């Protein structure tokens, strides 16, 4: 397939859902840079299958969320705020917060009476979850907590609706990233 004037890489993620194991299909579209305004580009599609394990475990997810909330109180983080009009009541202004330290970012939404974390990208080994899980630990540490063998490098712990999920990414049996995806109305 050919397209005009595409010079960036596009990523399409398709997810197939099931209880214990899922597969994500990632299609990476690569285009050659164009030098002329009307030049056509080629794209090379490469498919990579990434198997994952999903653990539906509300009690463990709640403990992880509690640790994440405590993490936001750490004075090491730089805070950036941005005002947003409330989607349900335009007379109210809410706040979107971004907390940053090293390669770690935590995003939250603060309404009048409550604040919700809706996303986090943990890349620093300075922060622990469940007293022992931090960037750089081996896969066995999480296996001991889950009391289950981890057969993939992408582990998700979340709720039944998949609206609040922690994602643990391993490389060579070493934890490289902890991500959180939450839901805010």
């Amino acid at each position: 397939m050919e397209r005009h004037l595409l010079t960036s890489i596009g990523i399409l993620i398709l997810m197939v859902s099931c209880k214990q194991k899922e597969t994500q299909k990632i299609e990476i579209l690569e285009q050659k840079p164009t030098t002329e305004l009307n030049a056509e580009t080629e794209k090379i599609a490469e498919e990579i299958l990434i198997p994952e394990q999903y653990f539906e475990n509300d009690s463990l997810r709640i403990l992880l969320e509690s640790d994440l909330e405590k993490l936001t109180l750490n004075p090491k983080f730089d805070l950036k705020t941005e005002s947003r009009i409330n989607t349900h009541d335009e007379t109210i202004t809410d706040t979107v917060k971004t907390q940053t330290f090293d390669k770690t970012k935590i995003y939250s939404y603060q309404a009048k009476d409550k604040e919700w974390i809706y996303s986090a990208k943990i890349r620093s080994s300075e922060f622990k979850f469940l007293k022992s899980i931090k960037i750089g630990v081996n896969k066995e540490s999480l296996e001991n907590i889950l009391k289950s063998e981890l057969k993939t490098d992408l582990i998700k712990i979340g709720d039944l609706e998949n609206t609040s999920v922690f994602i643990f990414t391993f490389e060579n049996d070493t934890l490289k990233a902890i991500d959180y995806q939450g839901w805010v109305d």
Side-chain angles (χ1 to χ4, degrees):
M1 298 173 81
E2 296 181 346
R3 296 189 69 159
H4 294 277
L5 302 174
L6 290 176
T7 60
S8 62
I9 295 175
I11 298 175
L12 171 66
I13 300 174
L14 302 170
M15 292 176 52
V16 179
S17 176
C18 66
K19 287 262 187 215
Q20 280 298 319
K21 289 187 179 181
E22 292 184 352
T23 301
Q24 277 189 343
K25 183 178 181 182
I26 298 177
E27 184 178 314
I28 300 174
L29 304 176
E30 209 175 292
Q31 291 86 26
K32 294 179 181 177
T34 182
T35 55
E36 293 182 27
L37 190 58
N38 292 325
E40 292 189 9
T41 61
E42 291 180 24
K43 72 177 178 180
I44 302 165
E46 178 184 331
E47 291 183 4
I48 303 169
L49 293 177
I50 302 173
E52 62 184 47
Q53 284 177 279
Y54 188 88
F55 293 89
E56 180 188 324
N57 188 326
D58 283 333
S59 58
L60 187 56
R61 178 193 50 83
I62 289 168
L63 290 172
L64 288 164
E65 285 178 349
S66 176
D67 286 348
L68 183 58
E69 288 173 7
K70 289 175 192 170
L71 188 61
T72 64
L73 303 174
N74 191 315
K76 291 181 178 186
F77 283 96
D78 292 324
L79 176 64
K80 178 184 164 194
T81 60
E82 185 180 324
S83 297
R84 292 274 170 92
I85 301 298
N86 186 292
T87 56
H88 301 290
D89 185 348
E90 293 181 5
T91 64
I92 298 173
T93 301
D94 296 331
T95 304
V96 173
K97 294 181 175 182
T98 304
Q99 292 180 269
T100 307
F101 173 77
D102 194 24
K103 298 175 186 172
T104 296
K105 288 190 176 193
I106 301 172
Y107 304 91
S108 60
Y109 189 88
Q110 183 177 13
K112 183 179 177 182
D113 299 328
K114 184 136 171 82
E115 184 173 342
W116 299 271
I117 298 171
Y118 65 87
S119 179
K121 298 175 184 319
I122 311 299
R123 303 295 185 271
S124 174
S125 62
E126 292 199 32
F127 309 116
K128 287 184 183 179
F129 289 84
L130 307 171
K131 298 180 183 175
S132 63
I133 303 302
K134 65 180 186 171
I135 302 302
V137 300
N138 63 24
K139 195 182 277 188
E140 188 178 326
S141 299
L142 190 57
E143 285 178 330
N144 292 336
I145 290 169
L146 290 168
K147 296 177 177 46
S148 184
E149 180 183 359
L150 302 181
K151 299 174 183 171
T152 68
D153 286 337
L154 191 62
I155 308 301
K156 292 184 175 185
I157 300 171
D159 57 11
L160 176 64
E161 294 84 19
N162 209 11
T163 58
S164 180
V165 179
F166 282 85
I167 303 163
F168 298 85
T169 305
F170 290 88
E171 187 177 295
N172 298 321
D173 288 338
T174 301
L175 184 60
K176 293 295 180 190
I178 301 171
D179 293 304
Y180 173 74
Q181 298 170 348
W183 180 79
V184 176
D185 180 14

